[in-house]
Amino acid sequence: MDVTGENGVSERLAQVRGRIAQACRDAGRAEATVQLIAVSKTFDAEHILPVLAAGQRLFGENRVQEAKAKWPSLKARHPDVELHLIGPLQSNKVREALALFDVIHTLDRPSLAEALSREIARLEGRPAPRLLVQVNTGEEPQKAGIAPDAADAFLRACRDEHGLTIDGLMCIPPADEPAAAHFALLGRIAARNGLKTLSMGMSGDFETAIALGATHVRVGSAIFGGR
């Protein structure tokens, strides 16, 4: 595997970091206010190691079982890695997810809030992952997430009924619509609920997300190549 040439993963990672830096300059933001999550879903350890070697420490995975198969050994060698769950979480996988992930981006329904609350109470002093609520900004029936007009009530329920600390919001805009309106909507919901973390923007639109306040961008193919 070529990791140093023009098409290598290290070069692609450097290019993405450069694009983030430029987007921050264009938006008048400090580069440190935006964190890059390298989305390593479907890629094995052989493909992840060069990205770790290049200094990347935030990674995103879509599935608990896939992460469980490859990340414990990688984290043992790189204990400063921060692992983010960016895919759907089944309630019966919550206990495993709490053991694996540092951040969960996809809290998207009352039953999951209840399951998270119950399992977090069992951690006995271990730190709980940071939690983000996924908002279905496009109200797409096939996509997970809380509807925008239900987000305020859901956030209150997470806090008041389930005792959860919510750090921020996440969205995945519809593929066939301009992303900017969806990022702006997410920012408005976050602002009125006192939330500072915005997980939004992927390989094709993260510069737009940064301009509209993203604190975390989730980039996979621009770093790892096609799946």
Side-chain angles (χ1 to χ4, degrees):
M1 177 182 173
D2 174 19
V3 299
T4 58
E6 186 176 46
N7 297 318
V9 67
S10 298
E11 179 67 21
R12 290 194 295 269
L13 176 62
Q15 290 171 355
V16 168
R17 287 172 170 166
R19 288 170 59 190
I20 290 171
Q22 184 61 55
C24 288
R25 287 193 292 271
D26 292 345
R29 298 179 58 186
E31 190 177 344
T33 64
V34 179
Q35 293 188 292
L36 168 63
I37 301 170
V39 179
S40 50
K41 65 177 184 178
T42 77
F43 289 100
D44 59 20
E46 177 190 357
H47 292 81
I48 296 168
L49 285 170
V51 187
L52 284 164
Q56 178 65 26
R57 288 298 180 267
L58 274 65
F59 290 84
E61 290 284 342
N62 261 40
R63 299 182 184 278
V64 173
Q65 289 306 108
E66 181 186 345
K68 188 178 178 181
K70 65 188 180 186
W71 275 103
S73 61
L74 288 170
K75 287 190 79 171
R77 293 150 66 185
H78 301 278
D80 55 341
V81 159
E82 188 174 277
L83 195 58
H84 295 240
L85 179 63
I86 60 172
L89 176 58
Q90 296 173 296
S91 294
N92 64 357
K93 299 289 186 187
V94 165
R95 189 174 300 180
E96 291 177 285
L98 293 182
L100 277 168
F101 291 96
D102 301 289
V103 189
I104 294 172
H105 292 232
T106 49
L107 172 50
D108 63 357
R109 59 195 186 278
S111 61
L112 181 56
E114 182 179 354
L116 283 163
S117 177
R118 184 172 58 249
E119 293 298 333
I120 286 171
R122 296 163 54 98
L123 292 176
E124 298 181 349
R126 287 190 293 125
R130 301 193 300 280
L131 301 176
L132 278 62
V133 166
Q134 181 173 356
V135 180
N136 186 350
T137 55
E139 300 191 63
E140 299 173 275
Q142 81 282 8
K143 192 174 285 182
I146 300 295
D149 61 2
D152 294 359
F154 181 70
L155 286 162
R156 283 195 301 272
C158 286
R159 292 163 170 158
D160 299 341
E161 296 176 26
H162 302 293
L164 297 173
T165 298
I166 305 299
D167 274 32
L169 305 177
M170 183 270 255
C171 75
I172 305 171
D176 58 351
E177 295 182 19
H182 296 272
F183 297 153
L185 173 59
L186 197 72
R188 290 194 298 273
I189 297 171
R192 68 175 179 252
N193 285 281
L195 300 172
K196 299 192 180 300
T197 299
L198 287 171
S199 170
M200 57 189 196
M202 297 185 287
S203 290
D205 57 19
F206 67 76
E207 285 100 341
T208 300
I210 289 170
L212 289 165
T215 62
H216 292 70
V217 295
R218 310 180 305 271
V219 180
S221 59
I223 296 170
F224 290 97
R227 290 179 169 82

